[in-house]
Amino acid sequence: MLEIVKIDDENADKDIIFENLETLKFTSLSSLTSFCYEKHTFIFPSLLSLTVQECPQMEIFSSGVTVAPYLTEIEMEEETIRWKDDINTTIQQVFLEK
């Protein structure tokens, strides 16, 4: 699996909203490169926790805009919590440090 979300051309320009999602966890996905590699807008109005563990190929969360107003930290690998400006920047930073 290379990405979690793949949008068809018919819905390509619509925002994708995960209204009630509070926790998102990716574990042991060795081929995962991103949540979505295409440039879509994802809105997570309730997201409080994001965990990414044992996903060594994950370079970014999404190529588009990701809005998660209540998320201020990500649990990455063996480290407790990381945060660098936003979801994409945090995941990119960890990937580059490997």
Side-chain angles (χ1 to χ4, degrees):
M1 177 183 326
L2 299 176
E3 57 188 320
I4 304 294
V5 176
K6 179 94 171 148
I7 309 296
D8 59 20
D9 291 338
E10 183 178 312
N11 295 311
D13 54 348
K14 295 180 182 176
D15 291 351
I16 299 138
I17 303 171
F18 293 88
E19 190 69 40
N20 297 312
L21 184 67
E22 293 181 2
T23 302
L24 190 55
K25 186 172 186 174
F26 304 112
T27 304
S28 300
L29 298 167
S30 60
S31 299
L32 185 69
T33 58
S34 67
F35 180 74
C36 181
Y37 204 73
E38 295 146 359
K39 292 186 178 190
H40 300 291
T41 298
F42 290 97
I43 302 172
F44 298 93
S46 303
L47 189 64
L48 301 171
S49 172
L50 173 60
T51 303
V52 179
Q53 295 179 329
E54 298 176 34
C55 301
Q57 301 302 314
M58 191 164 187
E59 296 179 46
I60 60 170
F61 186 79
S62 172
S63 293
V65 175
T66 302
V67 178
Y70 295 109
L71 187 67
T72 58
E73 54 191 30
I74 300 174
E75 184 175 342
M76 303 274 310
E77 302 305 329
E78 299 300 321
E79 299 180 31
T80 313
I81 303 298
R82 306 268 314 236
W83 191 251
K84 178 76 175 156
D85 302 324
D86 58 43
I87 295 172
N88 272 334
T89 305
T90 302
I91 290 174
Q92 286 173 335
Q93 178 87 24
V94 171
F95 182 78
L96 292 173
E97 289 174 6
K98 291 180 187 178

